Amino acid sequence: GTVVAVDNGSEDATADILAAAVGTSIDEVVHGQATWGFGEAVAAALDGRDHTEWLWLLHDDVRVSPDALQRLLTQTVRTPEAGIVVPMLVRPGRRRDAPRISELGASISHGGRRELGLEPGEIGQGQHDPEPVLGGSTCGMLIRWSEYERLGGFDPAIPMHRDGVDLGWRATLAGSTVITCPDARIVHRQASLRGLRTGTLAQQRHRTETGYDRFLGMRTVMAHHRGLGAAGALLGLTLGTLLSALGLLIGKRPEASLEELRALGDLLSSGRGTRSLRRRIRRLGATKETRRRAARLRPNRLSGLTRLAETVWAASQERLRVLTSSTEVSLDELTGDDYAGGPVRAKAVWPWVAGGLGMIALLIAGRRLVGTGFLTSTELLPAPDTVGAAVRSYLQRPAGAPVSSAPWEGMAAVASVIGVVPTWAAVAALWLAVPAACLAMAAFLQPFVRSARLRWAAALAYALLPALVAGYARGEVWLAVWAVLLPLYAASLDRWPGTGTVVDRLREPAWAALLLTVAAAIAPLAFVLGGVALVIVGVRRGGLVRAVVAALVPAAVLAPWVPALVRFPWRLLTGPDPMLAASGTVPAWQVFLGRTAGAGLPPLWLSAVVVGLLWLGTALATAQTAGTWRFAAGGTALVVLAALLSRAVVPVASGLVRPAVTMWLVAGLGCLVVATVSGLDQARRRLAAQSFGSGQAVSAIVVAVGAVLTAVSLGWFVVGGLAGPLHRGQATLPPYIADSENSDLHARTLIVSLADGQVSWLLHQADHTVWGDGETGLTPAEPQVRTAAETVVAQIAAARQDDEVADELSALGVLYVQVRGVTPDVSAALAASPGISRGGTTNGTTVFTVTSRPSRVLLVRPEGTQSVTASVDSGAAGTLLLSEAPDPRWQVSVGGVALDRTTSPDWRPAFALAGQSGPVSVRLAAERWAGWTALAQLVAMLLLALFAAPAVSRESDDFRPGRHSAVEEERVGRRSLGGVA
């Protein structure tokens, strides 16, 4: 054969090297131009030469195996129908490294992206067989000269990168076959794609290699469509590119996002080259069979989503592998080959076993969450029916109240999008709280607790703390989020400051600010404590300015809440929903055992065993390892804070309340867990080389204590951790009552329970108070409304006949009274009250009706009082009374005319009616700028999440600029070379 080298206008020593090689390794040198693509170089090399059967195309950045050509030719004998054979291209590596495949044939997606069909970093171990492909790289391509001429050679519209795929695609449409030859191996450095070459066609066009490759890929796809198909393909490419650019921008790769947009712009502005290639394809005379064969060699339309899912899955698997493996490294692992490290893999097995058992335990523990109906508890109101209802709940909060309420106090964006959502979200949060908190704590412990066993045991013990303090049984969904964000925030401080590019250095501050904002929305005092910790870390580790800015961001996001805090500064000490917190207390010493007032607590002996053992383990670990005293001291201080707050009574907008302290108990006891496990891990490593003594004995005791603590905690969680007051409630009102609440009357129902000698009540309405309304000031949280309702309930419970009870119920807008556990005395007294009629009794529940059929809007005129439904008839002047909380934002209009406020006979808002008639409109005006405030908060949270998220990795190692030495740069010519044999 003849070896021809093409020099495309090199500006280094390439020309001299080639001239010296003529007559030895090469037969002739063709001098080309810097503007030529690879195809034009091949055409110049073949110009005027005698035909041979085969052409072998090589690049200049290769190392060819001695038998590569022989194996390629052998493959043509085995598959005589093949017109093109492509070898296996492998990445350069050290001599003894396993060869990693960079390409073995290639295809192209509908979005114009390169599809290699290989696993990332796949090693060539003989696992591949020869198979048909759509195309492949021109590097090492073996093609019949007759086939080359039949196809018209390479097209100038695809001068590089995708030229081999274009040629193979056209060959397939023409009825030929492109086949791989895995036995023929060529080391290909991919100098152009990896940014090792200067003066390339992409650089001449002021484009990056990846951007130019993207453009050529889209052009290749577009050329294979005609008519309406071309319009559809262009629309798909445009939308896909815009979405990809947006995703890359969100993934903090603005340069890659710009590459996508430039590639799309190049495609739209260079239709001549696309049309030229399309005409060449049309002249091939492709048949339905060859088109179907080419389509089978391309990925499906969902390949992009599949690749994205695989990338996310691989990243999560890698992260989980790091979390489940031990960080201890043996000498064998340091000196072994790629297949060493068996003990590490063996150590990583047990977390999967523990995880499987944990999931079974989780399913058992969450059995009470399965079902239908509202999920409620003592500190969890029913969820609104829709997210829209949740947003309306925020926008209609009373004047002077906090921006929002449970479970994300002070933050409308999070409240409307995440916190206040239908019941399934509360179920998911409580069900997944333990594994989520376990993963978060394991991630925090991973850098400084080397033993995977200790790390995961401690993470599980920490994740069970919210259940041990009865937070989950009481429905404290916000506590699940708190338990997850605490170790994440601690890990963010531990990683401070960030390094790398400007965007990378902003990641940790943004992540810390995001977590601190959510923490402050749950427990306002966390803003003070977390902000101080952040500034201290900034002083000690550098990046003070970033630390101060990150600490001030939550204050800016929660700024609309500041006026309410100025009025009620003690609100800083409370939890996310002060009105739902328990009003009682427990002995102070019980707080140190993780117990607070309220239902759902484990037995006292269990709290004493579990939390007592935790205190013991902390003391022993701290005594052995002095370095853990910071965690121990911090945990003790937080538990003391919880004990002090549990004794306090503070004023808030809705009355006097006791601060919630479960979040501080979880934080404090969590610090004790970290102190115990870190001390034990350090002592274990220090004592490993010593003879058995007191240190080993203490370590063994701490291990035993931790094992008992974790086992007992897990057992309690499975048996009763999600029990207690937490339950799913069904609608218990008869259908006719529910219909009346949803009718034009909008009446309420007073539900009174006298069962078991205890009196409880609920003022129910169709738009009843829901999760997130606990502090809005609407019925029944408003003190005057509560007092009026409690007066009526006291009269009913005392079985006292009262001539005014019907009027009092009418003032509350109550049409029906449902009494459960009714006694004969209560039934007789209530039925004998004027204006009250008794209905039937079912299972100890009796319904009484207010005969005047009141509504929540009453019209008082000289001739009497009447209920208002949809409209007011013309007549004398009067007063409209609203059975609503006395809020200055109530607005009433009749016939489109707004009514003025007037003097009210009691607590109800009153409006003067001066003879107007027509439809009645009653609404609670939203605070000014409330919607814009919520939008601004939402945008701020999204921006924080954007900067905090990790950057998107590159598509492939092919596109990553390589690290290379000066010797390597000298070996790579400034212009590409084309070789033809």
Side-chain angles (χ1 to χ4, degrees), residues 521-544:
I522 295 174
L525 186 58
F527 168 70
V528 179
L529 300 180
V532 170
L534 185 58
V535 173
I536 291 175
V537 170
V539 171
R540 295 182 58 185
R541 299 187 180 180
L544 178 60

Side-chain angles (χ1 to χ4, degrees), residues 118-144:
L118 300 171
E119 297 294 329
E122 183 174 345
I123 297 174
Q125 303 178 83
Q127 71 273 31
H128 291 283
D129 295 322
E131 59 182 359
V133 291
L134 186 68
S137 172
T138 54
C139 179
M141 176 183 287
L142 185 69
I143 180 172
R144 294 182 188 273

Side-chain angles (χ1 to χ4, degrees), residues 39 70 90 132 142 270 276 280 291 395 422 436 484 496 511 553 563 584 612 636 682 796 853 863 930 937 942 973:
Q70 178 182 352
V90 298
L142 185 69
S270 59
S276 172
R280 175 175 291 200
R291 289 194 182 96
L395 294 177
V484 173
W496 190 277
W511 184 234
V553 165
T636 302
Q682 295 177 40
I796 294 174
R853 297 190 61 78
E863 60 269 23
Q937 289 176 314
L942 290 177

Side-chain angles (χ1 to χ4, degrees), residues 460-619:
L460 179 59
Y462 165 80
L464 293 170
L465 290 177
L468 289 172
V469 300
Y472 294 159
R474 296 170 187 172
E476 296 177 354
V477 179
W478 52 267
L479 192 60
V481 182
W482 175 268
V484 173
L485 70 84
L486 279 181
L488 295 180
Y489 187 70
S492 178
L493 297 183
D494 184 61
R495 291 191 300 263
W496 190 277
T499 58
T501 64
V502 175
V503 175
D504 293 331
R505 290 196 298 272
L506 291 177
R507 182 184 176 190
E508 292 307 328
W511 184 234
L514 176 64
L515 295 174
L516 189 58
T517 302
V518 178
I522 295 174
L525 186 58
F527 168 70
V528 179
L529 300 180
V532 170
L534 185 58
V535 173
I536 291 175
V537 170
V539 171
R540 295 182 58 185
R541 299 187 180 180
L544 178 60
V545 175
R546 280 180 285 164
V548 172
V549 172
L552 293 178
V553 165
V557 177
L558 303 180
W561 191 29
V562 172
L565 287 179
V566 172
R567 292 181 56 197
F568 299 97
W570 293 107
R571 179 66 180 81
L572 284 170
L573 302 180
T574 62
D577 201 340
M579 295 307 298
L580 293 181
S583 58
T585 60
V586 297
W589 62 270
Q590 290 192 15
V591 178
F592 287 85
L593 298 179
R595 302 178 67 83
T596 56
L601 285 169
L604 178 58
W605 67 265
L606 190 143
S607 297
V609 169
V610 174
V611 184
L613 288 177
L614 179 58
W615 284 104
L616 175 62
T618 303

Side-chain angles (χ1 to χ4, degrees), residues 374 376 382 727 729-738 740-741 747-755 758-766 768-769 779-780 786 788-794 796-797 809 812-822 826 830 842-850:
F374 291 118
T376 58
H727 68 283
Q730 302 290 338
T732 57
L733 296 177
Y736 68 91
I737 295 181
S740 70
E741 290 184 351
R748 296 188 176 96
T749 302
L750 178 61
I751 303 174
V752 181
S753 176
L754 305 177
Q758 296 183 348
V759 180
S760 58
W761 61 275
L762 171 66
L763 198 57
H764 189 274
Q765 59 194 45
H768 59 278
T769 304
T779 304
R786 178 178 291 273
E790 288 176 343
T791 300
V792 176
V793 172
I796 294 174
L809 291 171
L812 290 169
V814 172
L815 174 58
Y816 296 102
V817 179
Q818 186 184 67
V819 184
R820 300 172 182 173
V822 65
V826 169
L830 194 55
T842 304
N843 297 326
T845 299
T846 304
V847 177
F848 299 86
T849 306
V850 180

